[in-house]
Amino acid sequence: RKEVEQDPGPFNVPEGATVAFNCTYSNSASQSFFWYRQDCRKEPKLLMSVYSSGNEDGRFTAQLNRASQYISLLIRDSKLSDSATYLCVVPRGRGGGNKLTFGTGTQLKVEL
Amino acid sequence: DAGVIQSPRHEVTEMGQEVTLRCKPISGHNSLFWYRQTMMRGLELLIYFNNNVPIDDSGMPEDRFSAKMPNASFSTLKIQPSEPRDSAVYFCASSPGQGGEQYFGPGTRLTVT
């Protein structure tokens, strides 16, 4: 299994739809996980952190399934401005530390 | 507050030339990272520093790449000599400590012809 694996997409959804992305990881010792967002030709920015079973922030919900080693990101009532690439991020090694492994990203396109 | 600052934003150079990329991390952050992003390989960690000390440079592709952090507010990534396959976006990021909250600069888009 790759360190971090994501479906590259693109996911094309209409405005207002609910969309979910999954990400699988190989390091069973990882304690924390992250979703970053990257707009076209811009830098990645932290979207959400996941330290336990999940986290919710407005329209965004991140969930963690340790047994199956996957993380999901759910976006409700999607907006045009949600169009971006979503990167799943997992710390490397036991305990994590500073080193992160970034997935290659899932591209989301929200359309009228 | 100023975020991570990188310069130049764009660099076009000829094969064989030396390239120096610069980064100023967020004040107070004690970890600094250099990444490279390409379509083929995604975002790759090249090297990271903790309190100005290089901790892990295992991602540096070749001896042509070198990085320094002479003080807490400045770091450079140098490529000498540059090759066309070095063309990519190079990001610098800083972090206040342990964990996954890294703050990225706008990147330097490098094209080597």
Side-chain angles (χ1 to χ4, degrees), chain A:
Chain A
R1 175 181 270 186
K2 286 185 179 179
E3 284 188 82
V4 182
E5 198 154 9
Q6 297 181 249
D7 180 343
F11 284 61
N12 298 311
V13 302
E15 200 174 16
T18 295
V19 61
F21 315 131
N22 283 339
C23 162
T24 58
Y25 62 93
S26 61
N27 180 13
S28 59
S30 293
Q31 298 296 308
S32 54
F33 306 86
F34 309 91
W35 284 99
Y36 276 68
R37 169 193 168 130
Q38 186 172 23
D39 292 283
C40 187
R41 302 179 77 86
K42 298 282 191 177
E43 71 272 23
K45 292 183 179 178
L46 179 64
L47 176 67
M48 295 186 75
S49 305
V50 188
Y51 292 105
S52 56
S53 61
N55 189 15
E56 185 172 328
D57 183 4
R59 297 182 294 109
F60 297 83
T61 300
Q63 290 189 316
L64 168 63
N65 184 317
R66 290 189 190 276
S68 301
Q69 293 183 215
Y70 79 79
I71 315 145
S72 64
L73 178 67
L74 181 79
I75 305 175
R76 290 181 296 277
D77 188 23
S78 52
K79 312 289 185 191
L80 294 175
S81 57
D82 294 334
S83 298
T85 296
Y86 291 84
L87 305 170
C88 175
V89 183
V90 179
R92 296 186 195 179
R94 183 175 294 279
N98 282 356
K99 289 177 61 173
L100 303 176
T101 299
F102 284 77
T104 51
T106 297
Q107 189 178 11
L108 171 66
K109 295 181 180 179
V110 181
E111 302 163 332
L112 287 171

Side-chain angles (χ1 to χ4, degrees), chain B residues 4-39:
Chain B
V4 175
I5 299 171
Q6 289 187 249
S7 65
R9 294 291 304 276
H10 300 273
E11 177 81 29
V12 180
T13 191
E14 291 184 347
M15 179 177 169
Q17 296 298 305
E18 177 180 299
V19 175
T20 299
L21 311 182
R22 299 173 181 80
C23 175
K24 176 177 168 52
I26 294 173
S27 177
H29 284 193
N30 56 16
S31 296
L32 182 141
F33 308 81
W34 282 102
Y35 291 90
R36 176 172 69 178
Q37 187 173 38
T38 60
M39 288 291 291

